[in-house]
Amino acid sequence: MTLVSEPESFLQVRRSQPRAARGSVSSSAVKSRVYVAMLAFACVYVAIAGRLVMLAQMEEAPSRAFISAQDSVSASRPDLIDRNGEILATDIKTASLYAEPRRVIDVDEAVEGLIRVLPELDEALVRRRLESGTGFVWLKREMTPQQAKKIHNLGLPGVGFLSENQRFYPGGPTAGHIVGSVNVDNQGLAGIEKYIDGEWLADLQSLGFTSDRSMEPVRLSVDLRVQHVVRDELVKAMERYKAIAAAGIVLDAKTGEVVAMSSLPDYDPNDRSQALEKDRLNRATGGVFEMGSVFKTFTTAMALDSGAVSINDSFDATRPIRAGGRTISDFHGKNRILSVPEIFIYSSNIGTAKMMLATGISRQREFFERLHLTKRLKTELPENAAPLLPPKWNELAAMTISFGHGISVTPMQTAVAAAALVNGGKLLPPTFVPRSPADVQAVERQVISPEVSRIMRYLFRLNVLSGSGRKADVPGYVVGGKTGTAEKIENGRYVDNKRRNSFLSAFPMDDPRYVVLVVIDEPKREREGTGVTAGWNAAPMVGAIVRRAAPMLGVMPRFGKGDEPIEISY
């Protein structure tokens, strides 16, 4: 059998099969590679698309400067409250405007819009900040809600708001010198605000423990009602006597707590720029003055406590004293021998100087040091001035110091020393925070005997009943005190038509609970026929404060008992 493999016809063409060349790639392999490449490109595109979608959904990462600013402005401060729980200072939320210059698209448009809403901004400064290319700049802190709304409606890219804590003082200037103020970053600048920063708040802030957190309020010893009374009477007195300044203090004589303290002109802590004006100095603790005849209180107590002088002694005030080329005379001289109580109520310079001489210069200086009148007094407030002492504490200096010239102290020092003279003889450092009985016992220091303190209470009351302090009397409240009229010094010389008057008082004098001191600077005559000494202006100021504040402090008027001077023979 034969196999035929040739075409059956010449018309048939025998198709030759392609023969694979050595080293070539088959078509199926090429197709596979194409599919792999296409898959790879597809995966890349899917990854890129996924990443873009993810980035679009992510929030924008804040810059480091933004985070720092946010932490800073969110720091909280504790409320300050008075002894009855009334708020003196608190935090409120406010908006502040910032920009991220790198994200600002059109600087011209942004500047134009910002200046239109906030014309108080410096246009050149705003432009420089927006063109700086930095990550974060402040444009305006503490905006009003209306301003924030207008800026928001502009829709400026790269411009935003941060919510921050702003300090608010509901009472305005009522207790401005006590509470102090804070800067734009909520850090204490003065008063109790600065005190609590130094004690503990600054450390907590630095550790980040105060960011938007509520804290226990800080309670002060101040009574806001009495504080208002004191400030109100000072304002009225400045208007009535056309004075240039005034200060007033109410001090708890048994605890050393400051119940009220005001100094005019004062400032509103809500407008911190006012605090920089020099005339708004806190005169109660930051100013030193010659207190004039008020110092005769300390000289009399010194002489009695030394034992060199007794309440029954008398001194010749017939003629002036010549010492060191100076003449010491009396303003309203009696020109006769005066008893110790008469020296006090007639405010005799001659008699007081002679009591000092009987006691001795060294004892005088030691006694004033004992009362803390020769050193800076420390309180919670940063504003405490150091006293001005004579360069040489010789005999002439000692005599003038005895009646309040040649030594300058703060009104707070004067009030604190006076409290020791009437409370049984115990000196208590002043404080603006509440003090418990145990705290009082821990800090009190006996500086004069209880018997001398009793005599001083008698002299205080006697001066209001029969001396220069009659206009301070308030029926039912047994007020006692001592006037002080000091000529002011200009260019190294005393000026007889410019005075700084004061009245140092306490009530009720049978068991003094409160010391009240007022100082009025350059008072004028209220009307024709009236005087300009402390008995005419400072004494009635104290009377008005006691009349209004005593019921608030729980001191009720008493009639028929305790309103007469203590019986002492002399």
Side-chain angles (χ1 to χ4, degrees):
M1 182 175 163
T2 303
L3 293 178
V4 178
S5 60
E6 293 297 324
E8 295 179 353
S9 168
F10 70 95
L11 294 177
Q12 292 181 325
V13 178
R14 187 176 183 178
R15 184 173 297 172
S16 62
Q17 294 294 327
R19 183 176 295 178
R22 180 174 296 177
S24 62
V25 180
S26 66
S27 60
S28 59
V30 171
K31 289 181 180 178
S32 299
R33 292 180 182 180
V34 170
Y35 291 147
V36 170
M38 290 174 64
L39 180 62
F41 278 112
C43 290
V44 171
Y45 284 126
V46 169
I48 292 174
R51 179 61 177 166
L52 289 175
V53 171
M54 187 172 63
L55 290 175
Q57 292 178 342
M58 284 179 61
E59 292 186 1
E60 205 168 359
S63 67
R64 182 176 299 177
F66 178 89
I67 295 172
S68 175
Q70 192 173 41
D71 288 344
S72 174
V73 300
S74 62
S76 304
R77 299 184 67 84
D79 288 350
L80 301 182
I81 59 176
D82 83 336
R83 64 189 307 122
N84 301 313
E86 297 294 330
I87 292 181
L88 302 173
T90 189
D91 281 348
I92 60 173
K93 291 292 183 183
T94 184
S96 287
L97 181 67
Y98 72 91
E100 295 176 275
R102 293 173 186 169
R103 305 180 192 277
V104 175
I105 298 174
D106 189 335
V107 172
D108 291 335
E109 178 194 20
V111 172
E112 181 184 351
L114 293 172
I115 296 300
R116 189 166 62 247
V117 178
L118 304 171
E120 69 273 18
L121 293 180
D122 185 332
E123 183 175 347
L125 179 61
V126 172
R127 182 177 294 279
R128 279 201 305 274
R129 288 182 174 178
L130 295 183
E131 292 176 343
S132 63
T134 57
F136 180 92
V137 291
W138 284 116
L139 295 177
K140 181 172 176 59
R141 307 287 294 274
E142 300 174 353
M143 300 174 64
T144 66
Q146 293 77 15
Q147 290 173 327
K149 182 178 180 181
K150 291 180 180 177
I151 295 291
H152 179 267
N153 290 340
L154 293 176
L156 299 173
V159 175
F161 302 92
L162 280 180
S163 177
E164 66 175 313
N165 289 315
Q166 182 184 1
R167 207 58 165 165
F168 177 61
Y169 303 89
T174 304
H177 281 304
I178 297 175
V179 296
S181 60
V182 298
N183 63 15
V184 73
D185 289 323
N186 237 11
Q187 297 168 334
L189 292 176
I192 295 296
E193 296 281 25
K194 187 172 184 179
Y195 165 72
I196 61 175
D197 272 17
E199 287 294 302
W200 52 272
L201 186 58
D203 291 338
L204 290 183
Q205 288 176 340
S206 65
L207 295 173
F209 291 155
T210 62
S211 296
D212 274 337
R213 294 185 181 181
S214 60
M215 287 177 275
E216 285 292 320
V218 175
R219 186 180 296 273
L220 304 185
S221 60
V222 174
D223 188 317
L224 187 57
R225 302 167 302 170
V226 181
Q227 179 70 24
H228 168 73
V229 167
V230 172
R231 184 177 185 276
D232 186 52
E233 290 300 330
L234 295 184
V235 170
K236 291 178 179 175
M238 285 185 63
E239 294 174 354
R240 184 182 305 127
Y241 306 117
K242 300 177 179 60
I244 63 172
I249 296 171
V250 177
L251 186 71
D252 190 321
K254 293 184 181 296
T255 66
E257 295 170 308
V258 178
V259 178
M261 185 197 76
S262 187
S263 174
L264 300 181
D266 53 10
Y267 66 92
D268 185 347
N270 295 305
D271 181 2
R272 59 180 71 92
S273 64
Q274 294 182 5
L276 302 177
E277 300 174 17
K278 65 176 184 179
D279 288 341
R280 300 181 189 273
L281 162 77
N282 175 13
R283 291 166 171 79
T285 62
V288 293
F289 314 106
E290 290 188 352
M291 298 299 292
S293 295
V294 159
F295 252 58
K296 290 168 184 169
T297 304
F298 307 131
T299 301
T300 304
M302 171 199 69
L304 295 172
D305 193 67
S306 71
V309 176
S310 78
I311 190 69
N312 299 315
D313 287 340
S314 297
F315 293 86
D316 187 2
T318 305
R319 291 182 294 276
I321 303 174
R322 290 285 298 173
R326 303 288 183 87
T327 300
I328 297 174
S329 58
D330 287 341
F331 187 65
H332 294 296
K334 298 298 179 182
N335 302 317
R336 61 177 174 83
I337 295 175
L338 299 175
S339 65
V340 170
E342 287 177 325
I343 290 172
F344 192 79
I345 65 173
Y346 297 145
S347 201
S348 169
N349 294 338
I350 299 171
T352 304
K354 288 191 173 181
M355 282 199 293
M356 189 284 303
L357 292 173
T359 308
I361 300 172
S362 60
R363 281 186 177 179
Q364 181 196 44
R365 184 159 189 167
E366 182 276 329
F367 186 77
F368 283 9
E369 289 175 355
R370 206 189 308 169
L371 292 182
H372 220 300
L373 291 170
T374 57
K375 297 179 181 176
R376 186 192 302 271
L377 194 65
K378 291 183 179 179
T379 70
E380 287 82 6
L381 304 187
E383 303 84 19
N384 296 293
L388 296 179
L389 308 179
K392 293 183 180 179
W393 204 303
N394 53 25
E395 184 178 78
L396 176 61
M399 284 194 285
T400 57
I401 287 173
S402 70
F403 50 84
H405 288 183
I407 183 172
S408 298
V409 299
T410 66
M412 183 61 75
Q413 283 182 291
T414 307
V416 170
L421 301 192
V422 299
N423 70 1
K426 297 174 181 176
L427 186 71
L428 289 159
T431 181
F432 287 86
V433 296
R435 182 176 277 163
S436 67
D439 294 336
V440 171
Q441 288 187 347
V443 298
E444 66 184 9
R445 184 163 53 89
Q446 194 79 33
V447 289
I448 63 169
S449 69
E451 176 60 16
V452 172
S453 176
R454 191 180 73 85
I455 296 174
M456 294 309 300
R457 295 198 294 270
Y458 158 72
L459 293 176
F460 262 38
R461 179 60 180 158
L462 186 66
N463 192 41
V464 168
L465 290 176
S466 309
S468 56
R470 287 189 289 270
K471 292 184 181 298
D473 195 26
V474 181
Y477 287 106
V478 200
V479 180
K482 181 72 186 80
T483 52
T485 303
E487 294 177 349
K488 295 180 68 174
I489 300 175
E490 287 186 356
N491 301 321
R493 301 178 64 87
Y494 286 103
V495 182
D496 59 4
N497 63 348
K498 291 185 178 180
R499 299 179 175 87
R500 185 178 291 110
N501 296 349
S502 54
F503 191 74
L504 175 62
S505 70
F507 74 97
M509 287 314 303
D510 51 343
D511 184 19
R513 180 62 193 271
Y514 297 100
V515 167
V516 183
L517 171 66
V518 299
V519 179
I520 184 163
D521 199 351
E522 293 189 22
K524 314 298 185 303
R525 294 181 190 278
E526 183 179 7
R527 59 183 180 277
E528 194 65 30
T530 60
V532 291
T533 58
W536 284 95
N537 40 58
M541 289 169 64
V542 166
I545 291 173
V546 172
R547 187 177 296 107
R548 294 176 60 183
M552 299 174 182
L553 295 168
V555 182
M556 294 295 111
R558 292 174 298 163
F559 297 96
K561 184 180 180 181
D563 55 352
E564 296 299 326
I566 304 165
E567 290 294 336
I568 293 179
S569 61
Y570 58 91

